[in-house]
Structures are given as C-alpha cells and as structure tokens.
C-alpha cells in the first residue's frame, strides 16, 4: 500500500508508579507517556494511526549528568525529526517499509558521534508504528494480516542481499497466548515481610514477589542485577529459594557490570555455593551485562564466552543500529532483544537474520509497556513472531489503566475482555492466568470473524479511540 504522511500530533500524559522500579542507574516513580497521532493519506482515504511509549528515564540515553526533562525533549524531537524525513522526501508516496528505511538511514545510521542512536531510533520507531497502525486501519486488517499479506512491502534484500527471499507469509499464524516473564527489580520486596507498613497502594494487588507468584501463577522471571557482586549473589540466592520448582529465568545486567567476566564470576560463585541451582538450571538468557560502549570490545569476548557456557548472551541497549546484531554475533553473543520501541521492521529484520543463520535467540523484552498502545502493539509483534515468553513489568509497577481516559477504558473492557480483568474497585488490570496472557483479541483474522467467533481488530493491536485530549501538548 502506497501512503503519504501528513500531520503528526504529539501529546503526553503522566503515569505514576504504585511501586518504585529500580533498574540500571534509575529508580522510576513516574514517567510521561508520549502518544503520537499521525495522519496518513491512503488509497482508502485519509486515516489516523497511533503509537505511544513511556519515556523511561535513563534508558535511551544513560547519561547521569543530564536532566530527565531534557532527555524527554530529545526523545520527542527525535520523533519530529523522523516524521520530517519521511514526509518531506522528494518521493512522498511510498510503502510503510520505504518510509521507515529513509528515516532509519538518515536519522539513525547516518547519525554523528554525539547523537545517542537509541534516542534517534526511538523517534523513528514511534512514527513507524503509527504509520503501521494507519496502514492496518485503512485496509481493515490486523497487524498480522497486513504483514503476511505484504501490505507494508517488507524487502530486507535492500539491507542484506542474503535476505532477499524472506517473506513474512512464512511466519504462520500468530500465537494465541504468551508466557509472562515477570520482572524482579532491584528494590522490589521479595517476601511480604519486606513490604513497608505504610506501603498501601490503594489497591489489593500484590506488593511482593511471593504474592505475585501466588496471584498470577508465575513460573518465569527476569532478574535485574546491580553490578555489585556481593549484593547480587545474596539477592539471587534469595530469589532462588522463593520461586517455584522448574521455573525459568533471564538475568538482565542493564549495562551495570564493568566487564562480562565479573558477572560470570557471580554465576560461578552461585554454583559453588550450591544455593541457586534453580536459577542456573533454568537460565534462558543473559542480557546486556556491560555498558553499550563496551559491548563490541574484542577484549570482552573471553567474558562473553564464559557467560555463553551458561546461557545465550543477548544485546539490548547496544542494539542501536542495523549492524549491531551481526557485530555482536561475531563476538560470540547469541541473540538480541525484541522491543517495539526499537522498531518493528528492525525486529523483523533480526528475525530474518536468525532464520538465515539457522541459530540465534530473539527475546521479547518490555520497556514498561502500559495499556493501551505500547502494550498492545508490542504484544502484537510478539504474537506474530511466535515468541514463547515476554518480559512484563507494567502490570505490577503501575496501577491498571488509571492513566487512561474513561472512553479508552470502556473500549478495552468491551473488546479486549480476555486480556484484562475488572477488579472490585472497577479498574481494569492485565489478566495473567497461570502465568500467561491471552493474545487473541489483538489480531483476529477475517476468517475467525466470519465463523462468528469475534470481531476484527483492524489496526496495530487496537482499533478503538485514543483520547488525545487526555494529555498535554509538549513544549519542544
């Protein structure tokens, strides 16, 4: 489908946590959600597509000396820049993939040394996802339907010749459910006794890891580590004693270790002590152990090899341009994170590379994706890629859908009832049953609708209203 990008409108709404979330160098207690509304001219008329993302502090640009408000403005300006590149091209009519390629090449791949590439990539991805949503809405297709029917005209041969034959049609049907990999942050209470007496959050949802496991039937976990070997050892041992038998784990360094061998030492010590066999036996992946600037240092290869003997080591913050994953593979890394905030077509590109290589891990990671758009769009990609588990943290660090307007909440209650549950106070929370999420409402096929099993979700995981008035126009 050929499209022409028109006006881009941005708004922000503040989202406050119910529990502080400590990761890397930041403890998040609130953050703005940036929503984009993009008008797109199509053969079916002009439609508006939407996307949104929580502006998580000190992740895109992990500079402790900068002000968070300035960081957020940089992210918003990156979206404006990406839109300008797509809109003002000499050939304004193009497929979604062609629009994305132009912005990716100009805004990210050609960025100078002083430009944080994850920031530039965020801007491209925000506009890309709104453009994808508009294409789906215009054609009356779900994301998976539009993808497998080639409406976006994905052509990875333009990036790597060996991928010229890749087709999204080979992905098969989207998965109906996904296993939740529950995040355990660095300041999370592990047992109820650790919860402060004054920690009532105005809801009846869990406040500790033990209660989360009991409430949601969790058996898969993402464990944040701090870079302090003594503290990380003690915390990992405690978590191992509290999680159910046969559980699975990933360990996320969030760039905190000076070199990968230091984290390998921690895991060796865990094994020697014999107190954390559960974690080591169920270890699925180790994520971004060192700073993004150190990731591709040849001197890190020995430490990566030590970690790789335990589980695949994947890149996340270092995945900041189209060549990052291939460079990481050459150094012994075994995979890459999938986050919609880094780009949908980039996620598909890395999937195509993994298929061509015949090996490699693509792991679905969360950037605190809240309802409606960040969560639904990310999960729609997870379902299309058929990934078996996904990190989730928005469901316990934030309170349900309290940041949404009444009209948005009502649409979710009516059309995504299998993904959410209504609580006694009338709010909607993510519905995790036996450790899994039901994804069927995100992208039903037209065949399913004809059989009378439900309505079509024509859009990128969501076809309902987005209340742009429930926010503030940013000052850029």
């Amino acid at each position: 489908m050929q499209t022409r990008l028109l006006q881009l409108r941005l708004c922000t709404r503040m989202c406050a946590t119910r529990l502080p979330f400590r990761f890397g160098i930041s403890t998040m207690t609130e953050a703005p959600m940036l929503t984009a509304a993009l008008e797109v001219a199509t053969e079916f008329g002009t439609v508006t597509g939407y996307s949104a993302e929580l502006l998580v502090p000190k992740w895109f640009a992990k500079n402790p000396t900068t002000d968070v408000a300035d960081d957020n403005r940089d992210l918003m300006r990156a979206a404006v820049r990406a839109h300008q590149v797509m809109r003002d091209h000499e050939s304004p009519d193009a497929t979604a993939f062609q629009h994305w390629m132009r912005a990716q090449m100009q805004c990210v791949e050609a960025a100078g040394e002083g430009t944080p590439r994850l920031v530039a990539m965020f801007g491209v991805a925000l506009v890309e996802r709104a453009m994808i949503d508009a294409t789906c809405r215009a054609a009356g297709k779900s994301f998976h339907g539009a993808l497998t029917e080639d409406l976006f005209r994905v052509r990875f041969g333009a990036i790597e010749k060996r991928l010229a034959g890749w087709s999204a049609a080979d992905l098969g049907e989207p998965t109906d459910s996904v296993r939740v990999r529950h995040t355990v942050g660095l300041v999370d209470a592990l047992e109820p006794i650790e919860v402060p007496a004054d920690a009532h959050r105005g809801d009846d949802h869990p406040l500790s890891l033990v209660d989360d496991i009991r409430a949601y039937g969790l058996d898969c976990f993402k464990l944040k580590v701090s870079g302090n070997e003594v503290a990380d050892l003690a915390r990992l041992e405690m978590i191992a004693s509290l999680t159910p038998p046969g559980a699975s784990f990933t360990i996320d360094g969030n760039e905190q270790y000076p070199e990968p061998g230091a984290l390998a030492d921690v895991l060796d010590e865990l094994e020697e002590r014999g107190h954390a066999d559960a974690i080591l036996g169920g270890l699925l992946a180790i994520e971004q152990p060192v700073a993004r600037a150190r990731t591709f240092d040849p001197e890190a290869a020995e430490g990566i090899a030590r970690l790789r003997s335990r589980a695949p080591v994947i890149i996340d913050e270092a995945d900041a341009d189209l060549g990052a994953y291939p460079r990481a593979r050459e150094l012994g890394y075994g995979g890459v994170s999938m986050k919609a905030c880094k780009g949908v077509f980039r996620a598909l590109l890395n999937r195509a590379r993994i298929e061509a290589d015949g090996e490699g891990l693509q792991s679905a990671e969360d950037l605190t994706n809240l309802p409606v758009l960040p969560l639904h769009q990310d999960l729609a990609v997870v379902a299309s890629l058929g990934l078996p588990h996904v990190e989730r943290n928005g469901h316990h660090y934030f309170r349900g859908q309290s940041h949404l307007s009444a009209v948005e909440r009502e649409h979710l209650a009516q059309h995504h009832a299998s993904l959410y549950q209504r609580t006694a106070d009338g709010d909607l929370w993510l519905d995790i049953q036996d450790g899994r999420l039901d994804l069927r409402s995100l992208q039903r096929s037209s065949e399913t609708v004809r059989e009378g099993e439900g309505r079509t979700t024509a859009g990128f995981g969501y076809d309902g209203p987005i209340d742009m008035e429930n926010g503030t126009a940013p000052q850029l």
Side-chain angles (χ1 to χ4, degrees):
M1 182 188 294
Q2 294 284 319
T3 60
R4 178 177 296 187
L5 306 194
L6 304 176
Q7 180 182 358
L8 175 70
R9 181 184 175 195
L10 301 175
C11 78
T12 62
R13 60 180 89 176
M14 189 59 68
C15 303
T17 66
R18 61 185 287 271
L19 297 171
F21 182 19
R22 174 75 180 179
F23 59 96
I25 66 171
S26 177
T27 298
M28 180 169 59
T29 57
E30 65 176 12
M33 181 182 290
L34 177 64
T35 302
L38 176 67
E39 290 185 7
V40 178
T42 77
E43 61 192 84
F44 300 102
T46 300
V47 298
T48 300
Y50 299 93
S51 64
E53 198 69 63
L54 200 69
L55 303 184
V56 175
K58 301 303 174 185
W59 188 85
F60 295 96
K62 201 163 287 186
N63 185 345
T65 67
T66 58
D67 183 82
V68 171
D70 289 337
D71 291 346
N72 290 341
R73 275 190 288 272
D74 287 343
L75 290 167
M76 290 183 259
R77 288 168 180 158
V80 172
R81 165 65 175 154
H83 172 249
Q84 290 174 339
V85 168
M86 295 184 195
R87 183 195 62 190
D88 297 340
H89 194 270
E90 60 186 17
S91 301
D93 291 336
T95 66
F97 181 78
Q98 289 171 331
H99 282 304
W100 167 78
M101 274 281 289
R102 292 167 181 167
Q104 179 71 24
M105 292 303 177
Q106 292 188 43
C107 298
V108 181
E109 306 304 317
E113 289 296 324
T115 301
R117 288 195 171 186
L118 280 179
V119 173
M121 188 181 297
F122 168 89
V124 174
L126 191 77
V127 180
E128 170 203 24
R129 284 149 54 197
M131 178 175 55
I132 288 172
D133 185 46
T135 302
C136 293
R137 289 179 185 240
K141 300 288 185 180
S142 69
F143 168 71
H144 191 80
L147 178 63
T148 55
E149 294 175 33
D150 202 25
L151 293 191
F152 309 129
R153 297 287 288 176
V154 176
R155 296 293 182 267
F156 290 138
I159 300 171
E160 291 183 23
K161 290 182 179 180
R162 68 179 184 136
L163 304 179
W166 186 84
S167 171
D170 296 332
L171 290 174
E173 289 298 311
T175 53
D176 287 341
S177 70
V178 67
R179 191 181 183 194
V180 167
R181 185 154 36 88
H182 177 95
T183 302
V184 184
L186 293 173
V187 296
D188 289 13
L190 301 182
E191 299 182 272
I193 195 172
E194 298 177 25
V195 178
D198 61 351
H200 180 65
R201 304 295 171 181
D203 57 66
D204 60 358
H205 284 252
L207 298 173
S208 71
L209 174 62
V210 168
D211 289 334
D212 280 318
I213 293 170
R214 184 179 301 115
Y216 303 123
L218 303 170
D219 64 356
C220 195
F221 305 90
K222 173 166 176 166
L223 312 181
K224 299 286 186 178
V225 290
S226 67
N228 181 316
E229 296 182 34
V230 174
D232 288 341
L233 272 168
R235 190 162 177 84
L236 290 173
E237 287 185 322
M238 178 60 71
I239 291 170
S241 71
L242 299 174
T243 47
S248 299
F249 303 88
T250 62
I251 292 176
D252 184 8
N254 270 128
E255 306 182 82
Q256 293 306 292
Y257 274 84
E259 53 94 15
L263 180 54
D265 290 341
V266 171
L267 300 186
D268 289 347
E269 181 69 17
L270 277 177
E271 184 173 41
E272 290 176 11
R273 292 187 183 191
H275 296 157
D277 291 344
I279 289 178
L280 296 176
L283 194 56
L284 302 173
I286 300 166
E287 180 184 350
Q288 196 65 53
V290 298
R292 62 195 74 176
R294 283 269 294 151
T295 299
F296 306 109
D297 186 342
E299 294 183 0
E302 181 180 350
I304 293 300
R306 289 180 60 196
L307 289 175
R308 189 176 67 236
S309 69
R310 302 271 182 194
V313 186
I314 67 173
I315 60 170
D316 183 17
E317 287 94 333
D319 179 31
D321 59 68
L322 294 181
Y325 177 57
R327 293 198 307 275
R329 289 283 291 155
E330 290 177 359
L331 286 173
Y333 289 87
V336 62
S337 69
M338 191 298 292
K339 286 181 175 176
C341 70
K342 295 192 293 184
V344 174
F345 293 133
R346 288 192 73 250
L348 293 168
L349 171 63
N350 284 331
R351 171 57 172 267
R353 287 166 163 165
I354 288 169
E355 291 177 359
D357 291 340
E359 60 179 346
L361 174 67
Q362 191 170 35
S363 182
E365 308 301 330
D366 187 1
L367 194 72
T368 315
N369 290 324
L370 301 181
V372 55
L373 295 170
L375 176 65
H376 284 223
Q377 292 181 351
D378 195 78
L379 289 179
V381 179
V382 168
S384 287
L385 292 175
L387 301 181
H389 50 81
V390 59
E391 175 199 2
R392 283 295 305 133
N393 51 55
H395 73 278
H396 61 293
Y397 291 117
F398 289 81
R399 180 176 291 108
Q401 300 175 0
S402 59
H403 58 286
L404 298 180
S405 69
V407 66
E408 291 165 330
R409 290 196 298 270
E410 182 59 29
H411 184 88
L412 291 177
Q414 290 186 16
H415 302 302
H416 295 277
S418 62
L419 189 56
Y420 300 97
Q421 60 176 332
R422 190 179 295 278
T423 59
D425 61 4
D427 199 2
L428 291 170
W429 289 67
L430 202 63
D431 189 12
I432 302 173
Q433 297 288 338
D434 296 323
R436 301 188 71 85
L437 290 173
D438 187 330
L439 306 182
R440 289 175 295 175
S441 69
L442 298 181
Q443 41 194 5
R444 293 188 178 99
S445 67
S446 57
E447 290 77 12
T448 300
V449 174
R450 283 198 294 270
E451 291 169 3
E453 296 181 13
R455 61 192 294 279
T456 299
T457 301
F460 195 175
Y462 177 76
D463 65 349
I466 294 297
D467 189 354
M468 295 292 287
E469 304 309 314
N470 183 33
T472 304
Q475 297 297 315
L476 303 180

